[in-house]
Each structure stands twice: as C-alpha cells, then as structure tokens.
Amino acid sequence: MTSRIDSASRLIQGTPQAIYRAFAEPGAMERWLPPDDMTGEMLHFDFREGGSYRMRLTYARSGEGRGKTSEDADEVAVRLTRLEEGRRIEQQVMFESEDPSFAGVMHMIWTFLPRDDGTLVTIRAEDVPEGVRPEDHEAGLISSLENLAGFVEAAE
C-alpha cells in the first residue's frame, strides 16, 4: 500500500442534498459512478453509516485484460465509515484482485461544499494502491464527477 493521494473537484449545478441523494438512493450510483468506458452493477447496497455496498464495474470493450478482478471487470467492496447528509461521505474501498498491487484499503472522501453557483464536489482518495495508475485514476475520477454532474443536473 502506498501513501499516495489522488483528488479531483467539480462545480455541480445542484444542491448538496441532491448530490448526496445520488449516492443514497438505490439504483442511482450504478447509473453515474462508472467511468465512461465502464458500466456498473450494484451487487449489494446498504447505505447507512457502518453499512456497505458492493459493485461490479465492467469495461465496455471486453478482452483487453484491464480488469482487476477478472479480465474485463473490477469488483469493489465498500464500507461506509462516515456519513454527513449533504456534506460528506467517507468510504473504505477494497478491490477484489489476486494481484497484490491492488491489495489494501483505499480511503475515499467525498465532500459537498455549497456555493452561490452550485456545489463544489471534491473526491479525495488516500492510500491509493500502487497498481492503480495515476493517469487512469485521474481520468476515472474526472469522468465520475462529470457523470455525477449530468445525473444531478438532469434531475434538478
């Protein structure tokens, strides 16, 4: 495990409460969380402090051997460690992989800061596994924020 920290931010035209609901409502996260080249399937969902969820992210183009869990998929087990409605979500993320470069727990902190022109959403990923390439992680974080913006702004 490394002590690497990756982060990304985006201003979203929506309230902090609407953004929080995009995490908390069943069926929502798998629609916006996967980066553009992936689809999501929620395998387990218990959104509460101390709860958890499990998600499978599948690459749109199979057979390229990019997955951490299988050739074309990543599975993550997420424990929700701190929830502050409309303000903050803290998670422990574990990749399922036989590759030791993806082992360990990555801490992800999502914060929602209200502004006059929307909400500044920031993702901070701490202890990023060394197997996650920085450029891939940055692209994934940015893509997820863009998807979240589209999801929330379409509902507002």
Side-chain angles (χ1 to χ4, degrees):
M1 206 46 143
T2 69
S3 59
R4 190 175 101 211
I5 296 172
D6 295 342
S7 65
S9 296
R10 180 182 173 110
L11 183 66
I12 296 178
Q13 305 302 310
T15 65
Q17 293 75 19
I19 294 164
Y20 188 88
R21 281 193 306 272
F23 288 83
E25 290 179 0
M29 249 194 302
E30 60 260 53
R31 292 172 42 205
W32 65 262
L33 184 63
D36 287 337
D37 62 342
M38 301 183 92
T39 59
E41 177 186 5
M42 195 64 73
L43 306 172
H44 166 77
F45 186 75
D46 179 18
F47 192 85
R48 62 181 172 81
E49 193 164 302
S52 62
Y53 67 88
R54 179 182 212 74
M55 183 177 238
R56 177 180 299 127
L57 301 165
T58 304
Y59 286 92
R61 293 184 309 256
S62 64
E64 294 184 8
R66 299 187 298 170
K68 297 170 193 67
T69 306
S70 68
E71 185 174 306
D72 63 349
D74 296 343
E75 281 195 25
V76 293
V78 178
R79 190 162 121 10
L80 301 162
T81 58
R82 182 175 170 190
L83 299 177
E84 295 179 31
E85 188 168 346
R87 295 186 53 206
R88 182 182 195 94
I89 296 172
E90 294 187 20
Q91 310 170 328
Q92 293 179 332
V93 179
M94 288 121 333
F95 293 104
E96 291 193 4
S97 178
E98 293 180 10
D99 184 340
S101 69
F102 295 107
V105 177
M106 178 172 61
H107 301 272
M108 294 195 76
I109 302 161
W110 294 75
T111 57
F112 317 126
L113 181 63
R115 298 202 1 194
D116 290 340
D117 51 352
T119 301
L120 181 64
V121 178
T122 300
I123 310 168
R124 179 181 167 96
E126 302 173 348
D127 303 321
V128 178
E130 63 185 35
V132 177
R133 295 181 352 169
E135 59 273 20
D136 292 342
H137 203 212
E138 179 183 16
L141 295 174
I142 291 169
S143 178
S144 291
L145 284 169
E146 289 173 356
N147 294 343
L148 175 60
F151 181 84
V152 170
E153 292 167 3
E156 288 281 298

